[in-house]
Amino acid sequence: MSAEQKKFLKDIKIKKVKVIIAQILLLSIFLLLWEFLVNKGIISAFIYSSPSRIIKTIIELIKNHNFFIHIYVTLKEVFISFVLGISLGFIIALILFEFKFLAKVLDPFLTMLNSLPKVALGPLIIIICGANIKSVILMALLINLIVNIITIYNGFTGVDEYILKLFKSLGASKWQILTKLVIPSSYQTIITSFKLCISLTLIGVIMGEFLVSKEGIGYLIVYGKQVFNLNYVMTGIILLSIISYILYRLIIILENKLLKHL
Amino acid sequence: MSNLLELEDITKDYHTKLGEVKAIKNINLNIKKGEIISIVGPSGCGKSTLLSIISGLDNDYKGKVKKNKDLKIAYMLQSDALLPWLTIYDNAILGLKIKKNLTEEAQKYVDYLFDFYKLSEFKESYPKNLSGGMKQRVALIRTLSLKPDLLLLDEPFSALDQQSRLLISDDVYKIVKSEHKTVILITHNIEEAISFSDRVVVLSKRPSIIKNIVNIDFKNQESIYERRKDTNYHKYFDLIWKDLDINEC
Ligand SMILES: Nc1ncnc2c1ncn2[C@@H]1O[C@H](COP(=O)(O)OP(=O)(O)O)[C@@H](O)[C@H]1O
Ligand SMILES: [Mg+2]
C-alpha cells in the first residue's frame, strides 16, 4: 500500500473517530447540564427528574425485581408484533400482488384504515381482547400492518421491466417469476419496511400498554404519572430511547449483511 | 421451409386510454438461417414491438409469424438485466436454471464462454463490481448458454460507451458468424447496422412500414472493423440515411 493510500485510509478513520467523540461529548454535556440545572433548582426536579435520580430509580427498580420484567415484557410485545406485522404484511402484499383486482378493490379501504387514528380504536380493542397482552399486540398490529402491506406491495410492483421481460422471454413460470425475481428484488423495500415497522411497532406497543397493561415500559410511565413519581416517567422515556436506538441499529446491521451486494 | 422465419402482414395497434397507437403496419419479411439482419428506424416507431411479436411475448397482433415450433429464441435487451443479488456465474446460468436445463454439458459450455470472454476470475463477483461492457458480456453468455437458433438483440449495446460498444459488438459478431446463428439486431446506430449485418431493414415513422431493405456486401467479413474499412461502407451509409425519417417521430 502506498503512503498516500495509507494516509487516505487514516484520514477516514480520524474523521469517524471525531464524529464519535463529538457525539459522546454532546450527550455528556446534555446530561451534565440537565443534572446541573436540576441541582441548582433552575428547572424542576419533580417534573424533569435528573440523570442521577434516573439511575437511582433504575437501581430501585432492579432491587424490586421488576425492572427487567418491564423491559422483557415490552421487548416481547415488540418482537411478537413486529414479526406478526412483517409476516402478515408480506403475505397480504403477496395476495394483493397476485390478485390485482382485489388490490384495486381494497385500495381505498386500505388508505382509509391507514389514515385512521388507531388510538380511537382503543376502547373497542379492550372490549374485544380484554386487558391483556393481546390488546397490546392488536394495537401495535393495527398501527404497523397497513404500512407494511403498502410498502412491501410497492416493492413487489417495482420490478425492473427489462428483467421481467427477460424472465418472460425465458419462459419462466409465474412461480419462478415470483420466487426468483419479484421477492428477491423486493429485499431493499422489505428492509425499508422493517425500519418503518420497528418504530411503528414501538409506538403501538407503548400505546397498547398505556391502555391496558400491568407490566412493561408503557405501564411504568403511566404508573409514574398516577403516583406522581415522574422519575418513573423519565426512566421510561430514557429506556425507550435506548431500546428504539438498539433495535434500529440491529436492523441496519441486518441490512448491511443482507444487501451488501446490491 | 427454406426460411427460418417468415413475417406476413404483421400489423399491431396498441390501445390505450389516450387513444389508439398504430405501431407497425403490414410488415413482410423473410429471414434465412444464418442471416444477420439489422432493423433501424426512428425511436418509437415499433422496433421493439416487432421483436416482441417475433419472440412470442406478444400474441396480440394481426398477420402471421411463421416459424418452426421448436425454434429456440433468445433475447438480449438494452439493459444487461443482471440480477444484482446473484453472482456473475449464477446470473450467467439463470436462463438454463429457469428452463431446467442445467446439464453438465451446458455448464461446460458456460465455463468455455467465461474463458473465452476472459471473465473466469469474476465468476464469484457481483454485478455492481463489473464495468458496463463486462456486464453486457455476462448477459451475452447467459443468452448464448441456451444455444439459441435465433438471437433477438434489442439495442443491446446502446447503454455502453463507444469503445465497449465496438468491442462487444465485434464479440457478438464473431461468435454469431462462427456458430451460424441467425440474428435480428435493433439499433439506431446506422454504422453499427452496416458493420454488423447482411441486410439492413429501414422502418418508417409510425405506423411503421418497411421503407427499404439494403443488402450489405463486403469482401472482408472477418470482423466489424474490417467491414468498416470497406470502400462501399459510405455508400451504404448514404443509402440508409436517405430513407431514415429523422426527427419526425
Ligand atoms: N405496452 C404499450 N402500450 C401502449 N403503447 C405502447 C406500448 N409499447 C409501446 N407502445 C407504443 O408503441 C410505439 C412503438 O414502441 P416501440 O416498439 O417500443 O418503439 P421502438 O422500439 O421502435 O422505439 C411507441 O409509440 C410506444 O409509445
Ligand atoms: Mg425499443
mmCIF file of all heavy atoms in Angstrom, chain A residues 193-209:
data_model
loop_
_atom_site.group_PDB
_atom_site.id
_atom_site.type_symbol
_atom_site.label_atom_id
_atom_site.label_comp_id
_atom_site.label_asym_id
_atom_site.label_seq_id
_atom_site.Cartn_x
_atom_site.Cartn_y
_atom_site.Cartn_z
ATOM 1 N N SER A 193 -39.245 -1.553 4.983
ATOM 2 C CA SER A 193 -40.456 -1.731 5.774
ATOM 3 C C SER A 193 -40.104 -2.206 7.189
ATOM 4 O O SER A 193 -40.815 -1.889 8.129
ATOM 5 C CB SER A 193 -41.425 -2.692 5.079
ATOM 6 O OG SER A 193 -41.025 -4.022 5.265
ATOM 7 N N PHE A 194 -38.983 -2.953 7.340
ATOM 8 C CA PHE A 194 -38.508 -3.311 8.691
ATOM 9 C C PHE A 194 -38.293 -2.045 9.511
ATOM 10 O O PHE A 194 -38.688 -1.955 10.663
ATOM 11 C CB PHE A 194 -37.163 -4.041 8.613
ATOM 12 C CG PHE A 194 -37.273 -5.520 8.366
ATOM 13 C CD1 PHE A 194 -38.359 -6.058 7.697
ATOM 14 C CD2 PHE A 194 -36.280 -6.371 8.804
ATOM 15 C CE1 PHE A 194 -38.444 -7.418 7.455
ATOM 16 C CE2 PHE A 194 -36.352 -7.730 8.575
ATOM 17 C CZ PHE A 194 -37.439 -8.254 7.902
ATOM 18 N N LYS A 195 -37.636 -1.070 8.875
ATOM 19 C CA LYS A 195 -37.297 0.159 9.601
ATOM 20 C C LYS A 195 -38.545 0.921 10.017
ATOM 21 O O LYS A 195 -38.659 1.371 11.151
ATOM 22 C CB LYS A 195 -36.424 1.062 8.721
ATOM 23 C CG LYS A 195 -35.018 0.549 8.513
ATOM 24 C CD LYS A 195 -34.254 1.567 7.691
ATOM 25 C CE LYS A 195 -32.991 0.964 7.131
ATOM 26 N NZ LYS A 195 -32.389 1.839 6.124
ATOM 27 N N LEU A 196 -39.463 1.070 9.065
ATOM 28 C CA LEU A 196 -40.720 1.747 9.389
ATOM 29 C C LEU A 196 -41.458 0.969 10.466
ATOM 30 O O LEU A 196 -41.981 1.524 11.427
ATOM 31 C CB LEU A 196 -41.609 1.840 8.143
ATOM 32 C CG LEU A 196 -41.177 2.800 7.055
ATOM 33 C CD1 LEU A 196 -42.018 2.590 5.804
ATOM 34 C CD2 LEU A 196 -41.326 4.228 7.549
ATOM 35 N N CYS A 197 -41.450 -0.347 10.285
ATOM 36 C CA CYS A 197 -42.235 -1.213 11.152
ATOM 37 C C CYS A 197 -41.732 -1.161 12.585
ATOM 38 O O CYS A 197 -42.524 -1.161 13.519
ATOM 39 C CB CYS A 197 -42.205 -2.647 10.627
ATOM 40 S SG CYS A 197 -43.212 -3.773 11.569
ATOM 41 N N ILE A 198 -40.423 -1.100 12.777
ATOM 42 C CA ILE A 198 -39.914 -1.153 14.149
ATOM 43 C C ILE A 198 -40.351 0.094 14.919
ATOM 44 O O ILE A 198 -40.780 -0.008 16.064
ATOM 45 C CB ILE A 198 -38.378 -1.374 14.191
ATOM 46 C CG1 ILE A 198 -37.962 -1.898 15.559
ATOM 47 C CG2 ILE A 198 -37.601 -0.119 13.902
ATOM 48 C CD1 ILE A 198 -38.426 -3.283 15.852
ATOM 49 N N SER A 199 -40.316 1.255 14.267
ATOM 50 C CA SER A 199 -40.729 2.437 15.025
ATOM 51 C C SER A 199 -42.239 2.456 15.242
ATOM 52 O O SER A 199 -42.707 2.828 16.312
ATOM 53 C CB SER A 199 -40.235 3.725 14.360
ATOM 54 O OG SER A 199 -40.454 3.680 12.994
ATOM 55 N N LEU A 200 -42.994 2.024 14.221
ATOM 56 C CA LEU A 200 -44.445 1.973 14.389
ATOM 57 C C LEU A 200 -44.842 0.953 15.454
ATOM 58 O O LEU A 200 -45.781 1.169 16.226
ATOM 59 C CB LEU A 200 -45.121 1.636 13.058
ATOM 60 C CG LEU A 200 -45.063 2.743 12.007
ATOM 61 C CD1 LEU A 200 -45.668 2.277 10.691
ATOM 62 C CD2 LEU A 200 -45.790 3.978 12.508
ATOM 63 N N THR A 201 -44.108 -0.184 15.483
ATOM 64 C CA THR A 201 -44.417 -1.210 16.470
ATOM 65 C C THR A 201 -44.203 -0.669 17.884
ATOM 66 O O THR A 201 -45.017 -0.902 18.781
ATOM 67 C CB THR A 201 -43.537 -2.446 16.238
ATOM 68 O OG1 THR A 201 -43.738 -2.897 14.907
ATOM 69 C CG2 THR A 201 -43.899 -3.558 17.194
ATOM 70 N N LEU A 202 -43.103 0.051 18.074
ATOM 71 C CA LEU A 202 -42.837 0.637 19.396
ATOM 72 C C LEU A 202 -43.968 1.592 19.796
ATOM 73 O O LEU A 202 -44.464 1.534 20.917
ATOM 74 C CB LEU A 202 -41.504 1.388 19.372
ATOM 75 C CG LEU A 202 -40.294 0.535 19.729
ATOM 76 C CD1 LEU A 202 -39.007 1.227 19.346
ATOM 77 C CD2 LEU A 202 -40.301 0.229 21.227
ATOM 78 N N ILE A 203 -44.374 2.428 18.843
ATOM 79 C CA ILE A 203 -45.479 3.349 19.127
ATOM 80 C C ILE A 203 -46.722 2.560 19.544
ATOM 81 O O ILE A 203 -47.352 2.841 20.563
ATOM 82 C CB ILE A 203 -45.816 4.208 17.878
ATOM 83 C CG1 ILE A 203 -44.651 5.135 17.556
ATOM 84 C CG2 ILE A 203 -47.095 5.005 18.105
ATOM 85 C CD1 ILE A 203 -44.820 5.899 16.252
ATOM 86 N N GLY A 204 -47.028 1.529 18.749
ATOM 87 C CA GLY A 204 -48.224 0.729 19.011
ATOM 88 C C GLY A 204 -48.166 0.027 20.351
ATOM 89 O O GLY A 204 -49.151 0.021 21.104
ATOM 90 N N VAL A 205 -47.014 -0.561 20.657
ATOM 91 C CA VAL A 205 -46.884 -1.314 21.908
ATOM 92 C C VAL A 205 -47.025 -0.377 23.106
ATOM 93 O O VAL A 205 -47.740 -0.677 24.076
ATOM 94 C CB VAL A 205 -45.531 -2.060 21.945
ATOM 95 C CG1 VAL A 205 -45.176 -2.472 23.360
ATOM 96 C CG2 VAL A 205 -45.588 -3.283 21.035
ATOM 97 N N ILE A 206 -46.377 0.761 23.046
ATOM 98 C CA ILE A 206 -46.460 1.696 24.176
ATOM 99 C C ILE A 206 -47.893 2.219 24.334
ATOM 100 O O ILE A 206 -48.430 2.297 25.438
ATOM 101 C CB ILE A 206 -45.459 2.866 23.987
ATOM 102 C CG1 ILE A 206 -44.024 2.328 24.007
ATOM 103 C CG2 ILE A 206 -45.634 3.910 25.090
ATOM 104 C CD1 ILE A 206 -43.671 1.504 25.223
ATOM 105 N N MET A 207 -48.511 2.493 23.180
ATOM 106 C CA MET A 207 -49.895 2.935 23.225
ATOM 107 C C MET A 207 -50.767 1.844 23.857
ATOM 108 O O MET A 207 -51.625 2.132 24.698
ATOM 109 C CB MET A 207 -50.391 3.218 21.812
ATOM 110 C CG MET A 207 -51.279 4.399 21.707
ATOM 111 S SD MET A 207 -50.848 5.333 20.258
ATOM 112 C CE MET A 207 -51.782 4.498 19.053
ATOM 113 N N GLY A 208 -50.538 0.619 23.446
ATOM 114 C CA GLY A 208 -51.277 -0.520 23.989
ATOM 115 C C GLY A 208 -51.047 -0.647 25.489
ATOM 116 O O GLY A 208 -51.979 -0.874 26.257
ATOM 117 N N GLU A 209 -49.811 -0.471 25.901
ATOM 118 C CA GLU A 209 -49.500 -0.580 27.335
ATOM 119 C C GLU A 209 -50.157 0.559 28.124
ATOM 120 O O GLU A 209 -50.600 0.358 29.256
ATOM 121 C CB GLU A 209 -47.982 -0.582 27.550
ATOM 122 C CG GLU A 209 -47.333 -1.888 27.117
ATOM 123 C CD GLU A 209 -45.835 -1.927 27.381
ATOM 124 O OE1 GLU A 209 -45.257 -0.891 27.776
ATOM 125 O OE2 GLU A 209 -45.241 -2.997 27.182
#
